[in-house]
Amino acid sequence: MNLNYRNMLNPEEKKLNEIFESKFYCPQRFAEEIEKLVHNSKEMKYVDAIIHFCDKNSIDLESVPKLIPKPLKEKIKYEASELNFLKRSS
């Protein structure tokens, strides 16, 4: 039998869960927010979007590496190499 944990919570616990989810970021949610910033602003780069997002949400930049999933890391690497911040790989 597969029970969904959320369905077992009372209304107060569900509300508390929603508050925690809105305040804390998992890698997927962090990446979604960064993607939104980059796509909504034609000139904003991924690194700039991360810095902007962290400043706006009082997130310590030291904690960011664990929030960046592999697909977002690849986009950052590509962008950095295009801007000559990294050596191009052959």
Side-chain angles (χ1 to χ4, degrees):
M1 179 160 60
N2 187 5
L3 293 176
N4 187 344
Y5 170 72
R6 288 180 178 217
N7 292 337
M8 296 171 30
L9 299 176
N10 69 41
E12 289 176 3
E13 290 172 324
K14 285 182 183 180
K15 181 76 173 165
L16 188 58
N17 239 7
E18 289 171 10
I19 291 170
F20 280 134
E21 288 175 1
S22 71
K23 294 287 183 192
F24 298 102
Y25 293 93
C26 64
Q28 179 183 349
R29 183 159 173 251
F30 182 79
E32 289 170 359
E33 296 293 332
I34 300 305
E35 291 287 351
K36 278 188 223 174
L37 282 172
V38 170
H39 291 293
N40 290 337
S41 171
K42 302 282 186 206
E43 296 183 19
M44 188 175 283
K45 305 293 184 198
Y46 282 97
V47 172
D48 297 329
I50 290 170
I51 293 168
H52 172 76
F53 184 79
C54 289
D55 285 344
K56 183 179 157 190
N57 293 286
S58 301
I59 297 172
D60 183 18
L61 287 174
E62 298 290 322
S63 65
V64 169
K66 62 185 170 205
L67 289 174
I68 301 176
K70 187 170 180 154
L72 184 55
K73 283 181 186 174
E74 294 300 318
K75 290 176 183 179
I76 293 168
K77 283 181 187 177
Y78 175 78
E79 186 177 85
S81 93
E82 289 295 306
L83 295 169
N84 294 319
F85 292 158
L86 295 176
K87 291 182 182 177
R88 293 182 190 251
S89 58
S90 51

